[in-house]
Amino acid sequence: MALSPLRLACGQVVKGVRVSVDAVSAPVVLVVEDELPLRDAVCRHLVGHGFEVIEAGTVAEGLAAVWERQPDVVLLDVLLPDGSGYDLCAKLRPITSAAIIYLTALGQDVAVVRGLDAGGDDYISKPFNFDVLTARINSQLRRTAAPRSARIDLPPLHLDFLTGRVTLEGREVRLTKMELQLLGYFAANIGVGFTQDELLISVWQAKSAAPTNTVRQTVSSLRRKLGLDEASAFELEYSASKRYVFRQVRFDPSSR
Ligand code: CA
């Protein structure tokens, strides 16, 4: 039996969004979890601890909630009815600086690594102690109160989003704004494959995917400007599954 949000002792429901009574400046936590009893319990606990809480049960609802509400923290279940939490995380990373904490099942160590690679900040294994959950959320909130890094360093590749300066193996690479954003997205999600449509929506902020050469052309110009060839430390390939993947293929500990 699903618990009704209306049964919350100290919360109220506004247009389907559960908020605490004194939610004026409370940190906003989005809980993406399809297991209703667990989601209800987590929400009730967080509301009781002064957080404003939004709920989602699917990847699609989670994405929409982030667009609409820009939460401070996202609690993200890994297995969702319409996709994985990692896929959602990869979609969220370019549109939010919210801290992303995975709610994983026990023994998913490999999955945890994948999740953190996809841009997650922390994880907590189910079943978890609710006070530990609150402590983890507060720890992320303290961390994200400081501005997030505007740099990505994947030696020998360095991106500075404030100045727009990109260097690869010590050589400066001049990129257009969109090339820099696309490279930044790939660099933040290294090893993760994205379809053209996913890139259009996540990087170009397209409302829907339409037939276009934009992604192909930008990828091709990135490859050319970065001089990606067999000797490069990175590759940007279009896989047989029609996904673009940026990978580091050579690691040189002495590289800058
Ligand atoms: Ca689940």
Side-chain angles (χ1 to χ4, degrees):
M1 182 197 69
L3 298 174
S4 160
L6 292 170
R7 287 174 53 187
L8 270 180
C10 52
Q12 58 183 349
V13 171
V14 180
K15 288 181 186 169
V17 173
R18 183 183 297 179
V19 297
S20 64
V21 174
D22 53 350
V24 182
S25 61
V28 179
V29 181
L30 168 63
V31 183
V32 187
E33 167 65 67
D34 61 329
E35 209 180 304
L36 265 181
L38 175 62
R39 189 169 95 204
D40 268 324
V42 168
C43 290
R44 194 181 310 121
H45 173 80
L46 294 178
V47 167
H49 283 73
F51 295 97
E52 181 176 348
V53 178
I54 326 167
E55 299 172 57
T58 63
V59 167
E61 285 175 15
L63 192 56
V66 168
W67 273 115
E68 285 162 23
R69 300 295 307 278
Q70 288 293 328
D72 300 294
V73 176
V74 179
L75 298 182
L76 188 47
D77 181 29
V78 172
L79 291 176
L80 293 162
D82 58 342
S84 88
Y86 308 130
D87 297 339
L88 176 55
C89 180
K91 289 189 171 104
L92 295 185
R93 207 61 296 175
I95 62 170
T96 178
S97 58
I100 297 177
I101 303 175
Y102 293 103
L103 307 175
T104 65
L106 274 176
Q108 288 184 323
D109 293 354
V110 174
V112 162
V113 170
R114 187 178 156 205
L116 298 179
D117 280 348
D121 295 287
D122 197 3
Y123 71 96
I124 185 163
S125 297
K126 296 177 194 171
F128 46 80
N129 175 298
F130 282 9
D131 290 329
V132 172
L133 177 67
T134 317
R136 295 281 188 91
I137 291 174
N138 283 328
S139 148
Q140 288 298 327
L141 284 170
R142 280 193 297 276
R143 208 168 67 79
T144 53
R148 274 187 175 253
S149 167
R151 294 183 57 86
I152 293 182
D153 294 299
L154 286 171
L157 175 67
H158 302 275
L159 289 80
D160 184 326
F161 297 96
L162 287 182
T163 61
R165 189 163 189 267
V166 175
T167 60
L168 177 58
E169 285 161 356
R171 173 177 68 92
E172 182 155 359
V173 183
R174 300 185 76 85
L175 299 180
T176 65
K177 187 163 165 272
M178 282 321 299
E179 288 163 356
L180 175 61
Q181 286 194 23
L182 181 61
L183 181 59
Y185 190 68
F186 279 131
N189 296 285
I190 196 144
V192 182
F194 299 103
T195 64
Q196 168 177 292
D197 291 354
E198 286 168 346
L199 292 173
L200 280 173
I201 290 167
S202 299
V203 181
W204 275 264
Q205 316 273 294
K207 289 294 173 211
S208 63
T212 167
N213 286 330
T214 308
V215 174
R216 195 165 49 81
Q217 282 167 355
T218 312
V219 163
S220 133
S221 120
L222 261 185
R223 281 197 190 110
R224 184 169 41 78
K225 289 186 177 180
L226 294 171
L228 298 186
D229 58 25
E230 310 214 319
S232 302
F234 297 90
E235 67 179 20
L236 174 46
E237 69 161 35
Y238 188 57
S239 69
S241 59
K242 300 194 170 172
R243 285 171 184 273
Y244 292 96
V245 188
F246 186 62
R247 286 197 192 89
Q248 185 154 15
V249 286
R250 203 159 46 74
F251 296 87
D252 178 356
S254 67
S255 65
R256 292 180 294 155

